[in-house]
Amino acid sequence: EIIDKPEYSDVTDPKNIAEEQQKDPYILNIIKQLNEGKVNEGEMSRFFKLDNVLMRMWRIRGMQESSLQIVIPESLIPFVLHQHYGANSAAHFGIAKVTERILRKYWWLTMLTDIKKWIKTCQICQLTKRERTPKVPMQSIPVSQPWEIVSVDCLTIKPSKTGNTNVVVFCDYFTKWMEAFAVPNITA
């Protein structure tokens, strides 16, 4: 299967990526294992070098095609995150969409954790996006005798023949007994 080479211009040129990879201890360990021929062992079989840049083969779940991912050193992670989330041309999507976009081209070990932290600490999002507050579950109100707690509700209706435009409803919480009265207004 033929796979196109990745576009390096999105992060930086291949020479700079290769230089930054040589400074990253985790990536150096992978390169060392590749050089020792330990490429057929589990996850290691996905890694290889292309133009002196460590790459990872990624098969998209449920699809036949594979994608090449540039293995990003720790020093370039903020740049990638900014490019795909914080740059002027990048939209501020949620965690799943941003992860999907980044996974198409890049990989690093702590990706999901870093993406979550980056999005949750985004100043623009904190100023513009509302936090969804969870709905409080409904609870019954404990009562032990009639007329201990009574609810009152006022409703506006179409004018009746007698000119009443409101209904006042009383309900006893214990017996569930209701009384409704049509009234011309709901002022005191």
Side-chain angles (χ1 to χ4, degrees):
E1 132 188 39
I2 298 173
I3 300 171
D4 293 332
K5 285 188 177 183
E7 295 177 30
Y8 292 104
S9 59
D10 290 341
V11 175
T12 185
D13 66 75
K15 183 180 176 188
N16 288 341
I17 292 175
E19 287 174 7
E20 291 299 316
Q21 285 182 342
Q22 292 298 318
K23 299 174 189 174
D24 189 289
Y26 178 75
I27 292 176
L28 283 174
N29 184 40
I30 294 173
I31 292 171
K32 179 184 173 193
Q33 290 183 44
L34 284 173
N35 292 338
E36 292 173 358
K38 297 180 181 178
V39 292
N40 295 329
E41 299 175 14
E43 179 71 17
M44 282 304 299
S45 63
R46 295 179 175 199
F47 294 100
F48 62 96
K49 285 185 99 176
L50 178 68
D51 298 332
N52 285 329
V53 175
L54 184 64
M55 306 294 289
R56 180 177 179 260
M57 181 68 70
W58 178 58
R59 185 169 299 263
I60 301 166
R61 195 174 297 167
M63 300 181 84
Q64 293 288 51
E65 61 196 56
S66 294
S67 173
L68 292 183
Q69 298 169 309
I70 302 168
V71 179
I72 297 296
E74 192 172 343
S75 61
L76 295 179
I77 291 171
F79 186 85
V80 172
L81 291 170
H82 177 73
Q83 182 183 27
H84 287 273
Y85 191 77
N88 292 338
S89 62
H92 289 246
F93 292 116
I95 294 167
K97 284 188 180 181
V98 172
T99 303
E100 181 185 324
R101 284 179 64 180
I102 293 175
L103 268 173
R104 290 180 192 160
K105 295 182 180 180
Y106 311 110
W107 181 86
W108 65 91
L109 186 62
T110 58
M111 241 177 116
L112 190 57
T113 305
D114 294 341
I115 291 170
K116 283 179 183 178
K117 187 191 297 182
W118 187 272
I119 291 173
K120 289 184 186 236
T121 58
C122 173
Q123 290 181 348
I124 294 170
C125 292
Q126 289 188 14
L127 292 173
T128 59
K129 291 186 179 180
R130 288 186 6 202
E131 185 73 27
R132 292 185 189 162
T133 54
K135 291 184 179 180
V136 178
M138 293 183 70
Q139 299 177 4
S140 59
I141 298 172
V143 288
S144 58
Q145 63 185 3
W147 304 108
E148 182 179 354
I149 299 177
V150 177
S151 68
V152 179
D153 197 7
C154 301
L155 308 167
T156 302
I157 58 172
K158 292 181 180 178
S160 67
K161 292 179 184 175
T162 57
N164 293 322
T165 58
N166 299 285
V167 175
V168 179
V169 182
F170 296 90
C171 179
D172 174 39
Y173 270 52
F174 185 78
T175 63
K176 309 291 189 259
W177 181 263
M178 296 180 88
E179 292 282 340
F181 303 97
V183 292
N185 61 48
I186 50 174
T187 57

